[in-house]
Amino acid sequence: MAPCSAPLPPSCGKIAGWASAPSSGAASPLCPDLVIELASPSDEGPRGITALRHKMDLYQANGACLGWLLLPREHAAEIWRGDQQGMAERLNNNSRLDGSDLAEGLGLELEEIWTV
């Protein structure tokens, strides 16, 4: 099975905004509905993971509806929801993440990520 299943539906209603965003090459003022961060070996250690968590918090503060911070070395995922500012739910040893009502139909298989 492919690691990611189903496209992200426009559950937060901001997808249409991307079409009207300026294409000048500058950074977009829009924040994505869904953010997935994958920690790499260079992110290991307290400062690296802290920086990733800060980044997820910023996405949340700027309107992201759902964020997944994947920590392969720990076999853990942190779920950041837009309505829970500054908080994350930690899941250990899960084999799959689901988008729940925020991204219905979206799923991510984690087994392959944990074995890399």
Side-chain angles (χ1 to χ4, degrees):
M1 175 181 255
C4 190
S5 60
L8 176 66
S11 59
C12 293
K14 295 185 290 181
I15 299 291
W18 285 103
S20 62
S23 59
S24 64
S28 173
L30 300 173
C31 181
D33 293 337
L34 171 69
V35 177
I36 301 174
E37 285 284 338
L38 177 62
S40 67
S42 64
D43 293 318
E44 293 302 321
R47 286 190 299 183
I49 299 301
T50 299
L52 288 175
R53 287 183 176 130
H54 178 70
K55 191 175 180 182
M56 297 301 287
D57 193 42
L58 289 174
Y59 279 123
Q60 213 179 31
N62 284 293
C65 296
L66 180 62
W68 293 340
L69 175 55
L70 307 177
L71 306 166
R73 185 163 286 204
E74 300 173 28
H75 290 207
E78 294 182 358
I79 313 303
W80 295 73
R81 293 180 177 86
D83 62 347
Q84 298 174 349
Q85 189 63 40
M87 297 172 46
E89 173 187 3
R90 184 179 172 101
L91 304 174
N92 292 304
N93 297 309
N94 273 38
S95 60
R96 179 179 169 82
L97 292 178
D98 290 304
S100 66
D101 59 333
L102 298 174
E104 192 173 333
L106 179 71
L108 180 64
E109 300 295 328
L110 298 172
E111 292 298 322
E112 290 183 47
I113 294 171
W114 298 159
T115 60
V116 173

